Structures are given as C-alpha cells and as structure tokens.
Amino acid sequence: MAEAGIRLQKVLAQAGLGSRRACEDLIAEGRVEVDGVVVTEQGVRVDPRSAVIRVDGERVPTAPDVVVLALNKPRGIVCTMRDERGRPCVGDLVADRADRLFHVGRLDANTEGLLLLTNDGDLAQRLAHPSHGVEKTYVATVPAPIGRDVGRRLRSGVELEEGTVKVDSFAVLEALPGRALVELTLHEGRKHVVRRLLEAVGHPVESLVRTRFGPVRLGQQRPGTLRAIDGAELRSLYTAAGL
Ligand code: URA
C-alpha cells in the first residue's frame, strides 16, 4: 500500500521555497518545523491540507486550495460580497470566481485601495481582529496648510468617541497650495477611523486610499483589478495573522 502524505521537500517546493534539492537543504539545516517539531530527516511525509509547516519560524501555507487576492477597490463600491439594496459591491468584482471569498475587514464605500479577499475564513478573521494589530497605511488628501503640531498630536493620541487613538506614523507626502497629501500608518481598524482622526485635528478628508495592509502593498495595481498573493508575500501574511 502507498504511504500516506506527500514528501516534505515536495510540499515545500510546491509552496515556492525553491527546488526539491534546495528544500532538502532547508530540512537538513534544521530550518523546517512540522506541527511544532523540527524535522531534519529526509523523506518525512505530511498532509499539506492539515500540517502546520514553518521555515525559519515563518508559516508556509500549504493547503492547495487557499486563495488570497489583493483588490484595488474603486471608490463608490460598497464593501460587502452581496448588497441587499443592489448597490455595486465588492462581490460583483469577483462574481466570476468559484471560490467562496471573504473580505478582510472593510473600507468605506468612498475609500479606495487595498482590500484583501480570501477563501480562508480563519485568515480573514485573524487579520481583521484588533488583537493582531496588523499595520495599515493610508494616503489622504486634506486641506492645507498642515499645522506643525498635527503629526505630534496624531502620534501621541487623539480623543475619539471610543477613547484615545494613536497613529504609528504620519508624514506629509506633498504640500500643494490649499491641499496636501498625507500618509498615516495605524493598527486600528475601527469604522471611519482615519476620517475621524484627521477631522479631529482639523483636516477633514477629501479622498482616501489604503496603500498597505500588513506586508501587502498596493503598488501600481489599477482600481478594480485583482492580484494573487503568493510565495514570500503569502507567508508573511500568514505570519502577520499569527497562524
Ligand atoms: N478609515 C476610514 O476612515 N475609512 C476607511 O475606509 C478605512 C479606514
């Protein structure tokens, strides 16, 4: 009878960690862990659907059917997979896909930018949960000039209705006459948090784009398009979710 499972080096190679030979080296060097145990012998068989595999401590997602997509959500699209009121929604942009996708957290209808979608419900939940504190970066257009103490106020904490909220970083990217582009990074994921923060410091948002979610960046991806997350980027995302 054939042995159950697939050889570890093959699973690692299929997950994008290099050739089977290179993956055998990773195993021999003691860098690979299966279900919490370092494996150094060759030929161990694993079930890629259920085994928790790490290389250098970083999770290697091996379930063959996991899908993670980066969407550049256009402005005017509501963040639901199906909208009861028939408004254009995120679900419409992935209507041709067979996977049952979840969106990771939310963006306001009039915010554009990076929204992750996945069929891994556990990943979606953990990435969106405040306890994992995944960093998100936003670029906002606001009225200028920007007061000298705005960055300091945002970094030291602004009183909002739920309590004090801080940003991790704040920078003015571009100052135009009457208008500025500012960048904020924060761990918070509460509703309208960026709009409320900037309003509270006297700079109501005119437009807002999310440019980063944890290790994933929007880059030059065009609005309305999808990009598959895989390889090192996918491993970093699972690690950021504490999986
Ligand atoms: N903060 C906001 O105000 N809006 C978003 O869509 C996301 C974060």
Side-chain angles (χ1 to χ4, degrees):
M1 198 174 73
E3 275 184 84
I6 301 175
R7 282 170 182 268
L8 183 54
Q9 63 268 44
K10 183 171 176 187
V11 171
L12 291 172
Q14 281 173 345
L17 279 132
S19 65
R20 284 195 207 175
R21 187 60 233 278
C23 293
E24 284 170 4
D25 290 345
L26 290 175
I27 295 169
E29 289 159 12
R31 295 167 63 187
V32 182
E33 226 177 78
V34 178
D35 296 332
V37 178
V38 174
V39 172
T40 50
E41 83 193 78
Q42 304 294 338
V44 167
R45 288 174 183 269
V46 298
D47 178 351
R49 291 179 180 276
S50 58
V52 174
I53 299 175
R54 293 181 199 280
V55 172
D56 297 333
E58 191 170 64
R59 178 72 190 270
V60 179
T62 54
D65 45 8
V66 166
V67 172
V68 182
L69 302 168
L71 167 69
N72 184 350
K73 187 188 88 64
R75 201 174 313 166
I77 304 278
V78 294
C79 208
T80 49
M81 298 314 285
R82 223 177 128 256
D83 189 65
E84 301 294 328
R85 289 157 56 189
R87 295 169 298 179
C89 70
V90 165
D92 301 339
L93 301 174
V94 289
D96 58 343
R97 299 192 64 102
D99 327 284
R100 174 153 192 261
L101 296 170
F102 305 93
H103 49 87
V104 177
R106 286 179 187 280
L107 288 177
D108 301 334
N110 53 353
T111 299
E112 54 187 299
L114 183 58
L115 180 73
L116 296 180
L117 301 169
T118 178
N119 62 353
D120 183 339
D122 197 22
L123 177 71
Q125 225 176 24
R126 282 166 169 264
L127 284 172
H129 199 278
S131 65
H132 291 285
V134 179
E135 282 190 344
K136 294 128 197 140
T137 300
Y138 298 86
V139 173
T141 309
V142 294
I146 308 287
R148 285 169 57 118
D149 66 338
V150 165
R152 184 195 53 74
R153 285 174 67 196
L154 289 167
R155 279 189 292 266
S156 58
V158 172
E159 241 10 83
L160 297 181
E161 65 191 37
E162 64 270 45
T164 310
V165 177
K166 292 180 190 187
V167 305
D168 300 308
S169 66
F170 173 82
V172 178
L173 298 183
E174 211 176 306
L176 308 163
R179 189 172 270 187
L181 266 190
V182 297
E183 185 183 73
L184 299 76
T185 295
L186 64 168
H187 289 86
E188 284 287 338
R190 286 176 219 260
K191 205 168 177 187
H192 308 317
V193 69
V194 174
R195 292 175 196 273
R196 289 185 292 130
L197 278 171
L198 287 168
E199 173 97 47
V201 295
H203 294 279
V205 166
E206 290 170 4
S207 67
L208 186 60
V209 182
R210 180 156 69 193
T211 57
R212 181 168 75 91
F213 189 104
V216 180
R217 289 176 189 277
L218 183 62
Q220 299 304 310
Q221 196 178 325
R222 295 216 312 278
T225 62
L226 292 160
R227 173 173 80 82
I229 306 292
D230 54 19
E233 204 177 18
L234 187 62
R235 294 196 288 280
S236 307
L237 196 59
Y238 272 78
T239 303
L243 283 165

